[in-house]
Amino acid sequence: MRTEEQYVCTVCGYNMVGYFPDNCPFCGSTNDKFITSQECSTRYRVVEKPVTDTVSVLNSTPKLGLEHATYRIRTKDKTYWIDCPSCFDRSLTPVDVIIFTHFHFLGASNQYREHFPSSVWIHDADSRFSLCRGFTFDQTFRTNFKESGIEAFHINGHTPGFTCYFFEDLFFMCDYTFYRSERMIFNPFGPESETREGGYRIRELLEGRDIKKVCAVDYVMDFKVWLEDFERLLIQKG
């Protein structure tokens, strides 16, 4: 596939692989808001900032729509990304495995997969939605797993295959919850009751762990401060 056959929505950052629709499949914006992937790579770049000695955060700059932050994890034997930038930036250092929290933003993972090359993983329950059109998954998992010190736990809720991750003293949870007007809320774009049940599951997984930071959709936050907000959210009525 040629780069010019891939388009990026500048409103949300969703990549359309091999087709040019009237509207963005994710946010509904009209196609006058689309640019080619090649143009996207010219306008935007991906900037890496450290979180710890082994983990860093990747973000497109300038900000590219609603794009999720990507987290690079350097283990003893491999480099992993949790989620993937929307902008294809050839200057990034290689990644061995791209693992997803869920299917809403697959970024330019198809291009990074071919460029490095990399292996792309996602939960099986999230692998066959229409938003996955044009993307290749090398591994679809169905159970929790541990790989190179990264622990993966299937949560369900926000999406059927939503998966959160732990590595060292960090918790990776993307946009399962986020802040709106300085107040934490559950992601409303999914089944409400199942999403709340997933929140209880997350709280169980956090029990007894020595977590220092939460790596989320667009922020890295002190765990104790985040946990206070999260527990407040769990006791609120729908």
Side-chain angles (χ1 to χ4, degrees):
M1 188 200 74
R2 302 191 308 273
T3 300
E4 60 266 26
E5 295 175 332
Q6 184 156 327
Y7 302 90
V8 182
C9 175
T10 58
V11 176
C12 69
Y14 179 76
N15 276 242
M16 289 146 278
V17 182
Y19 64 105
F20 187 77
D22 292 333
N23 298 90
C24 174
F26 185 81
C27 73
S29 296
T30 54
N31 60 22
D32 60 311
K33 303 297 184 184
F34 303 170
I35 56 176
T36 65
S37 177
Q38 186 174 22
E39 185 177 359
C40 183
S41 296
T42 301
R43 286 194 197 180
Y44 299 86
R45 61 192 180 96
V46 179
V47 175
E48 181 174 4
K49 295 181 180 179
V51 176
T52 67
D53 290 342
T54 55
V55 176
S56 54
V57 59
L58 306 175
N59 290 112
S60 295
T61 185
K63 182 175 172 59
L64 182 49
L66 303 173
E67 179 184 46
H68 298 154
T70 299
Y71 293 93
R72 181 196 299 277
I73 298 176
R74 292 172 293 278
T75 70
K76 293 180 179 179
D77 54 348
K78 291 181 181 179
T79 298
Y80 295 78
W81 286 354
I82 296 179
D83 296 324
C84 182
S86 292
C87 170
F88 178 53
D89 188 335
R90 291 178 175 82
S91 70
L92 293 178
T93 56
V95 57
D96 298 297
V97 181
I98 302 171
I99 52 179
F100 281 102
T101 54
H102 62 307
F103 71 94
H104 283 165
F105 278 88
L106 300 173
S109 59
N110 62 310
Q111 294 172 313
Y112 287 111
R113 176 181 178 272
E114 294 179 3
H115 177 65
F116 286 129
S118 305
S119 179
V120 179
W121 302 3
I122 197 169
H123 193 281
D124 184 71
D126 270 9
S127 67
R128 291 180 291 273
F129 284 84
S130 60
L131 285 178
C132 300
R133 175 181 175 182
F135 292 91
T136 298
F137 304 118
D138 300 286
Q139 182 169 318
T140 57
F141 52 89
R142 296 184 178 182
T143 60
N144 302 334
F145 66 87
K146 187 171 183 178
E147 169 88 9
S148 300
I150 300 171
E151 296 178 83
F153 293 93
H154 177 223
I155 300 300
N156 197 343
H158 173 46
T159 68
F162 193 97
T163 303
C164 68
Y165 300 91
F166 293 90
F167 179 72
E168 296 179 343
D169 57 1
L170 303 180
F171 173 48
F172 302 85
M173 47 79 70
C174 196
D175 64 354
Y176 203 91
T177 68
F178 54 81
Y179 284 89
R180 179 174 289 171
S181 301
E182 300 184 356
R183 174 174 169 264
M184 182 184 286
I185 63 171
F186 282 116
N187 194 315
F189 299 101
E192 182 178 353
S193 60
E194 288 89 340
T195 300
R196 179 168 287 274
E197 284 300 316
Y200 298 138
R201 170 66 172 147
I202 289 172
R203 185 63 185 89
E204 292 175 358
L205 291 171
L206 294 171
E207 194 67 36
R209 292 179 180 268
D210 183 21
I211 304 297
K212 295 292 192 299
K213 295 179 181 179
V214 174
C215 298
V217 55
D218 57 4
Y219 63 86
V220 176
M221 188 171 180
D222 177 83
F223 174 70
K224 291 182 179 179
V225 176
W226 179 90
L227 184 61
E228 290 179 359
D229 291 340
F230 186 62
E231 291 185 328
R232 190 177 300 115
L233 176 61
L234 289 178
I235 63 175
Q236 292 173 0
K237 295 185 177 180

